[in-house]
C-alpha cells in the first residue's frame, strides 16, 4: 500500500514537472536569465500542494468526501433557505487543496491568463486556482469596495437590482479569463462578471464552481459558455 502511494506521488510529480518544462522551454533556449521568477514560484506552489496530498485518483471519492464535509445550515440567510457552508472544507488542508486542483484541472490547457473571482467566497477558491493555472487574479466586488478606477455592471435580482465592479485595467484585450465562484445558483452574478470581462475586450474561456444548484438552472443564463462544477445538487 505504501509503495503504491509513493508511486502515485512520483507519477504526479513527473507529470507536473513535464508540464512546467514545456512552459519554460522557450526561456531556457534564450538562457536562464530569461526564465521568469513567477514561473518558478508557481511550480514551487504546485509541488507544495502535491506534498500536502495530491488530487484523489478517483474523482468520485473526492466528490463524496466534499459532500460529507460541506455543512447544511437551515434558514440562512433567511427562512426556508438551506445554505451550503463550505468553511469545513477550508479547515481540511488536504481536502481544500484537492478541491482547488480539481476546479482548476479542466482549464489547464485553456491558456488562462486571468482568473476573475467574485466577492466574497469566490476569493477563497479563485486565488489558489490562479496560482495553479499560472494566471493573474482579478477580484470583482460590490460597489465602493475597490480603490482605483472601476467599471460597473448592474444586473437584475428577483425583486431588485445589484451591481459588480472591476478595476478598469484588470483585464485587457487578448486575455483569456476563467470566472470562479463557490456556488452557481441562478447565474445572475456570474453572468454579470462575464459582461464586465467582455466590456474590456477579453474572452471568457469558462466558469469554475465548487457547487452547482442544478434546480435553479443558472447554467442557462451563461449563454452556452463552458461551465464546470465539482458538486451538483438537484
Amino acid at each position: 500500500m505504501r509503495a503504491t502511494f509513493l508511486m502515485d506521488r512520483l507519477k504526479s510529480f513527473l507529470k507536473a514537472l513535464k508540464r512546467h518544462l514545456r512552459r519554460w522551454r522557450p526561456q531556457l533556449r534564450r538562457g536562464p536569465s530569461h526564465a521568469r521568477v513567477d514561473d518558478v514560484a508557481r511550480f514551487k506552489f504546485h509541488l507544495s500542494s502535491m506534498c500536502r496530498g495530491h488530487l484523489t485518483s478517483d474523482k468520485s471519492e473526492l466528490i463524496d468526501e466534499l459532500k460529507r464535509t460541506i455543512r447544511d445550515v437551515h434558514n440562512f440567510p433567511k427562512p426556508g433557505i438551506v445554505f451550503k457552508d463550505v468553511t469545513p472544507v477550508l479547515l481540511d488542508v488536504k481536502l481544500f487543496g484537492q478541491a482547488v486542483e480539481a476546479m482548476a484541472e479542466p482549464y489547464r490547457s485553456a491558456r488562462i491568463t486571468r482568473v476573475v473571482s467574485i466577492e466574497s467566497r469566490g476569493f477563497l477558491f479563485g486565488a489558489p486556482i490562479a496560482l495553479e493555472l499560472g494566471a493573474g487574479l482579478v477580484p470583482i466586488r460590490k460597489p465602493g469596495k475597490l480603490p482605483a478606477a472601476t467599471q460597473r455592471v448592474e444586473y437584475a435580482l428577483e425583486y431588485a437590482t445589484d451591481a459588480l465592479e472591476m478595476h478598469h485595467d484588470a483585464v485587457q484585450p487578448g486575455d483569456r479569463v476563467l470566472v470562479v465562484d463557490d456556488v452557481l445558483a441562478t447565474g445572475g452574478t456570474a453572468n454579470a462578471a462575464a459582461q464586465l470581462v467582455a466590456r474590456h475586450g477579453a474572452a471568457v474561456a469558462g466558469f469554475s464552481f465548487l457547487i452547482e444548484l442544478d434546480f435553479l438552472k443558472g447554467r442557462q443564463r451563461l449563454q452556452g459558455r463552458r461551465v464546470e462544477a465539482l458538486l451538483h445538487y438537484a
Side-chain angles (χ1 to χ4, degrees):
M1 181 69 72
R2 178 65 178 172
T4 302
F5 174 86
L6 292 174
M7 184 59 68
D8 288 344
R9 290 290 181 272
L10 178 59
K11 289 179 180 178
S12 297
F13 171 78
L14 292 175
K15 182 179 178 181
L17 180 60
K18 184 177 180 180
R19 183 170 64 250
H20 285 271
L21 284 175
R22 283 199 302 267
R23 182 182 299 163
W24 292 340
R25 191 173 291 122
Q27 290 93 340
L28 293 174
R29 286 173 180 163
R30 297 193 298 270
S33 62
H34 291 83
R36 292 170 53 189
V37 173
D38 56 340
D39 281 337
V40 177
R42 284 194 292 269
F43 180 70
K44 288 181 178 179
F45 176 86
H46 188 78
L47 178 59
S48 175
S49 70
M50 289 168 56
C51 294
R52 291 195 304 268
H54 213 65
L55 181 63
T56 307
S57 57
D58 185 353
K59 189 175 179 181
S60 65
E61 293 180 7
L62 172 60
I63 290 171
D64 290 343
E65 182 64 21
L66 286 167
K67 285 190 172 182
R68 284 193 296 268
T69 304
I70 291 171
R71 177 169 52 200
D72 284 348
V73 180
H74 292 267
N75 300 314
F76 181 86
K78 59 184 179 180
I81 300 295
V82 180
F83 183 80
K84 298 295 182 183
D85 180 13
V86 302
T87 57
V89 174
L90 307 179
L91 291 172
D92 186 324
V93 174
K94 180 179 178 181
L95 186 60
F96 184 25
Q98 290 173 341
V100 165
E101 189 171 353
M103 291 174 69
E105 190 64 32
Y107 295 97
R108 288 200 186 277
S109 61
R111 297 178 288 111
I112 302 299
T113 59
R114 294 286 186 269
V115 171
V116 163
S117 57
I118 302 173
E119 184 177 344
S120 59
R121 289 181 299 276
F123 297 168
L124 302 172
F125 296 95
I129 287 173
L131 289 173
E132 281 282 326
L133 297 178
L137 177 69
V138 178
I140 284 186
R141 305 206 64 182
K142 296 295 178 66
K145 299 292 186 66
L146 292 172
T150 62
Q151 288 195 6
R152 175 187 298 199
V153 63
E154 294 187 353
Y155 60 101
L157 301 173
E158 188 174 3
Y159 298 111
T161 61
D162 208 340
L164 292 175
E165 292 182 343
M166 181 173 69
H167 278 144
H168 74 96
D169 57 355
V171 300
Q172 306 293 332
D175 276 326
R176 290 179 56 80
V177 176
L178 175 64
V179 179
V180 173
D181 207 354
D182 64 328
V183 176
L184 173 59
T186 63
T189 305
N191 188 51
Q195 290 178 38
L196 266 179
V197 169
R199 285 184 183 180
H200 288 70
V204 177
F207 300 82
S208 185
F209 303 96
L210 179 67
I211 296 169
E212 182 175 356
L213 305 178
D214 297 334
F215 58 92
L216 293 176
K217 304 185 186 304
R219 187 179 290 252
Q220 295 179 8
R221 298 188 65 175
L222 300 182
Q223 303 172 357
R225 294 186 175 95
R226 183 179 182 184
V227 178
E228 301 284 348
L230 276 185
L231 309 179
H232 295 266
Y233 293 88

